[in-house]
Amino acid sequence: MNAASFRFRPANRLLVGKDYAAVFANRRVLRGGPFELYYRPIVIVDSAPDMLSARASARLGLVVPKRNAKRAVHRNIVKRLAREAFRHVCSELPAFDLVLRLGKPLTPIPDGVCREQRKLWRAQIEELLRRLPRPQVS
């Protein structure tokens, strides 16, 4: 695969507040470590009112509140790790709108985040993405 296929394009992002609200209103969530992954199947109404079709790719939104990660560097690292994990599995994911939220405070860590902590966070995010339900094939 080339590098362009791993880009985090605008089509893969949740950009509008109402999209975030729709995902949170769906109330389906997976939890792991300090993270929560909210998800909602993507359904687009075609021109005919009774025709529904699903978009081909998943979209990701991130919520990393300041009260759970006090330092900006930690919030940015969490977001970077989440985008990286999503980019690598995006083509394998079902068509969902996803919101990854830092739901619990991060464990206190010294200045400079150690590699082991980053690996742990990345593994937790990847595990949540793997646990997403797969569509039933009939």
Side-chain angles (χ1 to χ4, degrees), residues 40-120:
R40 174 174 90 73
I42 298 174
V43 177
I44 298 176
V45 179
D46 283 341
S47 57
D50 59 338
M51 298 288 291
L52 297 178
S53 67
R55 188 178 303 143
S57 64
R59 298 189 305 166
L60 177 69
L62 300 169
V63 177
V64 184
K66 192 173 187 176
R67 72 171 173 262
N68 291 339
K70 301 289 186 205
R71 300 194 54 174
V73 66
H74 297 153
R75 293 192 300 275
N76 291 337
I77 287 170
V78 167
K79 290 188 267 189
R80 189 176 303 117
L81 291 172
R83 287 190 298 263
E84 184 78 9
F86 177 79
R87 285 184 323 106
H88 286 306
V89 297
C90 179
S91 61
E92 303 163 12
L93 292 175
F96 282 130
D97 280 344
L98 307 168
V99 175
L100 182 74
R101 181 176 180 273
L102 181 61
K104 296 178 184 173
L106 294 176
T107 55
I109 48 181
D111 291 346
V113 178
C114 62
R115 290 178 190 247
E116 293 78 27
Q117 191 67 44
R118 285 183 186 205
K119 287 180 184 177
L120 176 65

Side-chain angles (χ1 to χ4, degrees), residues 11-39:
N12 297 117
R13 302 176 193 165
L14 288 181
L15 300 172
V16 183
K18 71 176 189 174
D19 290 338
Y20 279 84
V23 174
F24 286 127
N26 194 44
R27 303 182 71 160
R28 295 187 186 265
V29 63
L30 299 171
R31 291 181 175 87
F35 302 104
E36 299 171 346
L37 182 65
Y38 292 85
Y39 61 95

